[in-house]
Amino acid sequence: MLSMRRKVTPFRPPARRRLHEDVAQQLRDAIIDGRYRAGSKLPPERELAEEFRVNRTSVREAIKVLEGLGLVSVRQGDGATVQPLTDASLDVLAPMILHGGKVDLALLEEMNEVVSLLMYEMARLAIERFRSEQVGELRRLRDVMADTTLEVEARFAAGRDVIVLLSDITGNRVWQMLARRVRGFLASEPLRETRRHLQRDPGRVVPVIDACLAAIEAGKPKDAIDALRQALQIIGQPPSQPVRAGGRSR
Amino acid sequence: MLSMRRKVTPFRPPARRRLHEDVAQQLRDAIIDGRYRAGSKLPPERELAEEFRVNRTSVREAIKVLEGLGLVSVRQGDGATVQPLTDASLDVLAPMILHGGKVDLALLEEMNEVVSLLMYEMARLAIERFRSEQVGELRRLRDVMADTTLEVEARFAAGRDVIVLLSDITGNRVWQMLARRVRGFLASEPLRETRRHLQRDPGRVVPVIDACLAAIEAGKPKDAIDALRQALQIIGQPPSQPVRAGGRSR
DNA sequence: TCTTGCAATTGGTTGGACCATTTAATAACC
DNA sequence: GGTTATTAAATGGTCCAACCAATTGCAAGA
């Protein structure tokens, strides 16, 4: 039926990164894993530098990143104190969901509750403020998502772009910023890996888009919003069983 | 009638900050003000160091902060490229709303649309999942917000704590993280200044809380949610005219 | 016992040197 | 002349060593 197309470009981006990024990621994961508890202190910079076999500068830049994520609080003379994960930036959510190679399904579902509610409200506003000249781009993205001859990742990317497009339609800059953060979040490696694990299908939401487009063209935006609400019931809940179609063995 | 109590402690925390924080803030404001356009490049680190009269290290740490905020993208060999503000972290929203001493009322309203919808959905879930032993803390916060003998800022803080409390009641860690970010956002200096400018009243939402508490104790959570929805109409929209009562001249 | 002051710890800053990557100008080649 | 390889300049990344500044705890002294 649908041929699961192999990756055309099996290349991985070179893992060559900046030193402090590597250090920051390791420390970040250590905090997420609970190896450093909230309230406790990170080892002194000089000590970390020695352990990582790296200059103190790199450690400092790494800690600066952690501070920006709200994972630690740094005070001169005192050290870097680990903060509760609930106080951290949403940017750490992705590595929290997938850490140690395991998917935290409970957290994934909690994330789903928030994101789907968020996206529903945003889409609702977008439908109310829709202007006809914006329909073309939405239709184009829909076609990409539905095209099973394309790579899975490209189709997912189109789905994420729909989110950004809807935010642009709202004409609200805060929705625009939020949507772009959500896009980045969904495009992050941990979330991709999670989707691979759950074997999600990018075409899942195409019927919803079709229903909305049809309703809008029929001049019945209310129906489009209803279709969205119904979709929440479907998309909001991860399938209890992995999708069966086209299963890959690994 | 109600005596606008003067500040008991007129002390300001010493503005002694880390160098790179100051540099980061200046650069951040420059980007927000449009002095550096999206797509253009920041001056080289060495140049900035000279201009700021600081060491290159401090400039680097500042740029690292900007990178974490998504304001610039740094590539070795090439410089630091300014990113569109829509791609930045929500953490820059506060200084965007109040920059150059002026409040961007349009952006403030856009923020309000998003935040009030967000908080409404979260509160709705909280009401559905409410457990009786959690009512005490909510009532305590309500009393603080209603107590006009307290400092205005303390009453606002209680209001922000309500948000966090509601997120805890949902039992959803992502709502918890989101609520704490919102609290930090609302507690930021630009937002405080904005509230001072608009002369907002911390007691505004007390009737809403009372209505919800009453409905919950009456075993009618539906009514509580209805009260919330009605409150959206009131709170969601900033008053077109500044509040008249107790007006300060300046 | 309490206060004061000192010293150790730890983050913050500096200056300078050198490495790695990117870009553009330049030279070599066809 | 146009294309490709080379080189050099610009710029961020890392390292080193030293010193400054804030915090904390301990010890001496009142």
Side-chain angles (χ1 to χ4, degrees):
Chain A
M1 192 73 72
L2 47 96
S3 63
M4 265 294 190
R5 214 216 217 185
R6 286 291 158 201
K7 228 192 288 273
V8 176
T9 58
F11 306 121
R12 292 266 122 236
R16 179 191 340 108
R17 285 182 320 181
R18 295 179 284 188
L19 266 187
H20 69 260
E21 282 184 4
D22 205 316
V23 174
Q25 182 168 329
Q26 288 194 51
L27 287 174
R28 184 200 68 185
D29 291 341
I31 293 174
I32 290 177
D33 291 348
R35 299 205 294 275
Y36 293 114
R37 304 283 179 81
S40 67
K41 286 201 169 61
L42 253 46
E45 295 175 350
R46 292 166 174 85
E47 208 168 299
L48 285 173
E50 192 176 356
E51 189 160 351
F52 278 108
R53 303 301 205 86
V54 103
N55 191 273
R56 195 176 147 215
T57 308
S58 301
V59 172
R60 282 183 56 76
E61 297 197 341
I63 290 180
K64 201 109 319 180
V65 172
L66 299 184
E67 199 181 15
L69 292 173
L71 287 173
V72 301
S73 168
V74 182
R75 283 195 337 147
Q76 184 172 348
D78 202 12
T81 308
V82 178
Q83 301 299 115
L85 282 178
T86 43
D87 287 9
S89 160
L90 274 301
D91 289 343
V92 297
L93 199 49
M96 280 175 72
I97 287 175
L98 178 69
H99 72 276
K102 291 205 177 65
V103 177
D104 184 338
L105 283 174
L107 187 56
L108 180 67
E109 203 154 336
E110 290 167 28
M111 178 275 285
N112 232 321
E113 173 177 282
V114 176
V115 172
S116 45
L117 272 179
L118 221 64
M119 293 300 100
Y120 166 71
E121 293 295 336
M122 191 182 77
R124 185 173 62 77
L125 290 171
I127 290 172
E128 291 175 357
R129 301 168 188 175
F130 211 82
R131 286 163 47 176
S132 50
E133 67 265 26
Q134 296 164 317
V135 85
E137 179 65 6
L138 179 55
R139 195 178 297 281
R140 192 187 68 76
L141 290 173
R142 173 243 175 255
D143 289 342
V144 173
M145 294 176 69
D147 187 348
T148 53
T149 68
L150 296 175
E151 288 187 50
V152 177
E153 190 46 52
R155 297 169 63 204
F156 272 125
R160 295 192 292 266
D161 287 341
V162 168
I163 293 175
V164 171
L165 176 62
L166 290 176
S167 76
D168 288 341
I169 292 173
T170 67
N172 180 319
R173 284 168 285 176
V174 182
W175 282 120
Q176 288 172 11
M177 293 175 73
L178 195 54
R180 280 160 178 80
R181 301 308 281 186
V182 170
R183 174 174 60 180
F185 169 72
L186 294 177
S188 69
E189 188 49 39
L191 264 287
R192 292 187 192 202
E193 176 58 31
T194 300
R195 277 192 296 271
R196 278 194 289 272
H197 184 262
L198 299 180
Q199 299 188 336
R200 284 281 174 83
D201 174 20
R204 221 164 31 132
V205 294
V206 170
V208 183
I209 298 180
D210 286 339
C212 288
L213 280 171
I216 287 173
E217 300 205 325
K220 297 177 180 175
K222 292 275 186 189
D223 288 358
I225 296 176
D226 284 341
L228 273 186
R229 187 179 294 113
Q230 289 175 20
L232 263 195
Q233 314 300 332
I234 305 167
I235 302 174
Q237 311 299 336
S240 48
Q241 297 291 338
V243 180
R244 286 169 299 277
R248 278 180 298 182
S249 61
R250 41 171 313 178
Chain B
M1 194 72 71
L2 49 96
S3 63
M4 265 295 190
R5 214 218 220 183
R6 286 294 156 199
K7 231 191 287 274
V8 176
T9 57
F11 305 121
R12 291 269 122 233
R16 179 189 342 107
R17 284 184 321 182
R18 296 179 286 189
L19 267 187
H20 70 261
E21 282 184 5
D22 204 317
V23 174
Q25 181 169 331
Q26 288 194 53
L27 288 174
R28 183 200 68 185
D29 291 341
I31 294 174
I32 289 176
D33 290 348
R35 300 206 293 276
Y36 293 114
R37 305 283 180 80
S40 67
K41 285 200 171 61
L42 253 45
E45 294 175 352
R46 292 166 174 86
E47 208 168 299
L48 286 173
E50 192 176 359
E51 189 160 351
F52 279 108
R53 305 298 206 85
V54 298
N55 190 275
R56 196 179 143 212
T57 309
S58 301
V59 172
R60 284 183 55 76
E61 296 196 340
I63 289 180
K64 200 109 320 181
V65 172
L66 299 184
E67 198 180 15
L69 292 173
L71 287 173
V72 300
S73 168
V74 182
R75 284 198 333 150
Q76 184 172 347
D78 201 12
T81 308
V82 179
Q83 301 299 114
L85 282 178
T86 44
D87 288 8
S89 160
L90 274 302
D91 289 343
V92 297
L93 199 49
M96 280 176 72
I97 288 175
L98 178 69
H99 72 277
K102 291 205 178 65
V103 176
D104 184 338
L105 284 174
L107 187 56
L108 180 68
E109 203 155 336
E110 290 167 29
M111 179 275 284
N112 232 321
E113 174 176 282
V114 176
V115 172
S116 42
L117 273 178
L118 221 64
M119 293 299 99
Y120 166 72
E121 294 295 336
M122 191 181 78
R124 185 174 60 77
L125 291 171
I127 289 172
E128 291 175 357
R129 300 168 189 174
F130 211 83
R131 285 162 48 176
S132 52
E133 67 264 27
Q134 295 164 319
V135 85
E137 179 66 6
L138 180 54
R139 194 177 298 281
R140 192 188 69 78
L141 291 172
R142 173 244 175 255
D143 289 342
V144 173
M145 294 176 70
D147 186 348
T148 53
T149 68
L150 295 175
E151 287 187 49
V152 177
E153 189 47 50
R155 297 169 63 203
F156 272 124
R160 295 193 292 266
D161 287 340
V162 168
I163 292 175
V164 171
L165 175 62
L166 291 175
S167 76
D168 288 341
I169 292 174
T170 67
N172 179 319
R173 283 168 287 176
V174 182
W175 283 120
Q176 287 172 11
M177 294 175 73
L178 196 54
R180 280 160 178 80
R181 300 308 280 187
V182 170
R183 174 174 60 179
F185 169 72
L186 294 177
S188 69
E189 188 48 40
L191 265 286
R192 292 186 191 201
E193 175 59 32
T194 299
R195 276 192 296 272
R196 278 194 288 272
H197 184 263
L198 299 180
Q199 298 187 338
R200 284 280 175 82
D201 174 20
R204 220 164 32 132
V205 294
V206 170
V208 182
I209 297 180
D210 287 338
C212 288
L213 279 170
I216 287 173
E217 301 206 324
K220 297 178 180 175
K222 292 275 186 190
D223 289 357
I225 296 176
D226 283 342
L228 273 186
R229 186 179 293 112
Q230 290 174 20
L232 264 195
Q233 314 300 331
I234 304 167
I235 302 174
Q237 311 299 336
S240 49
Q241 296 290 337
V243 180
R244 285 170 298 278
R248 279 180 298 183
S249 61
R250 38 172 314 176

